[in-house]
Amino acid sequence: MYRPHLRLFLLLILSAATFPLSGCLFRTRTLERQFSDRPLKTATQQELIEYVNMQAAKIQSMQATVDIDSSVGDPKSGRITDYKEIRGYVLARKPAMLRMKGLMPVVRNTAFDMVSDGLEFKLWIPPKNKFVVGLNNADNYQPDKRLRTIRPNNINNALRIP
């Protein structure tokens, strides 16, 4: 008596038993650890500070792709508003030139484009069809417009080593 189902079942069991043996699921190997035989350097705190300052003085410009994540808090009401993370680009040049461009999350259209020469900034916001010009050191804190009162010098201070 011929049973095609039994033959197919045996072939399936044989395949299932040999599949893990083929090495397709995973592979394990030993990791060769590499140790340096170089002597360790020693330095005082002042020598480290001088080294960092020397390296920072060599940097004249910077270009970076950043993810901008902002939050605005109101101490009176105890509420914090988190804004969606957006992709952006930062271009900075000594002494205080800065350009920062933010892109919308999905469509990557320009959300804002800001440029500063250290004294004055210009901000273009295409979705709201607004163009703002102001001074970097102006203190015009407005509780209802916290995110709009961020100045380029705040960003410069965060990016550069003093």
Side-chain angles (χ1 to χ4, degrees):
M1 181 174 209
Y2 181 67
R3 295 186 182 181
H5 296 299
L6 181 63
R7 189 176 216 184
L8 183 64
F9 181 70
L10 288 174
L11 183 62
L12 186 63
I13 288 178
L14 182 64
S15 298
T18 58
F19 182 71
L21 300 175
S22 67
C24 295
L25 294 177
F26 60 89
R27 186 180 98 152
T28 304
R29 58 187 177 91
T30 59
L31 178 65
E32 293 180 24
R33 294 186 181 212
Q34 296 177 351
F35 295 102
S36 175
D37 56 351
R38 297 176 126 187
L40 297 176
K41 294 182 180 180
T42 58
T44 64
Q45 182 180 5
Q46 187 59 36
E47 289 172 341
L48 290 174
I49 291 171
E50 289 172 5
Y51 179 76
V52 169
N53 288 339
M54 183 180 66
Q55 295 299 320
K58 292 179 183 179
I59 299 171
Q60 296 299 315
S61 64
M62 178 186 73
Q63 177 179 340
T65 302
V66 295
D67 290 323
I68 303 165
D69 198 8
S70 55
S71 299
V72 175
D74 185 7
K76 292 180 182 176
S77 69
R79 294 188 330 177
I80 296 176
T81 304
D82 294 324
Y83 290 92
K84 194 145 185 89
E85 182 180 279
I86 63 172
R87 173 65 47 110
Y89 302 101
V90 175
L91 306 168
R93 185 182 305 155
K94 280 187 177 178
M97 294 181 76
L98 179 76
R99 180 171 184 194
M100 189 170 190
K101 185 174 185 177
L103 304 176
M104 294 288 198
V106 177
V107 293
R108 299 288 191 219
N109 291 341
T110 302
F112 68 88
D113 196 349
M114 181 191 64
V115 65
S116 171
D117 63 359
L119 300 174
E120 182 180 67
F121 74 92
K122 297 172 184 166
L123 174 66
W124 177 45
I125 308 171
K128 295 188 177 188
N129 200 20
K130 287 189 175 187
F131 193 84
V132 180
V133 177
L135 298 175
N136 281 353
N137 59 2
D139 187 24
N140 60 348
Y141 177 74
Q142 299 171 358
D144 57 332
K145 299 178 182 177
R146 286 178 197 88
L147 200 56
R148 291 187 217 160
T149 58
I150 295 175
R151 296 288 181 247
N153 58 353
N154 301 114
I155 298 164
N156 264 334
N157 293 341
L159 291 176
R160 296 201 172 112
I161 299 173

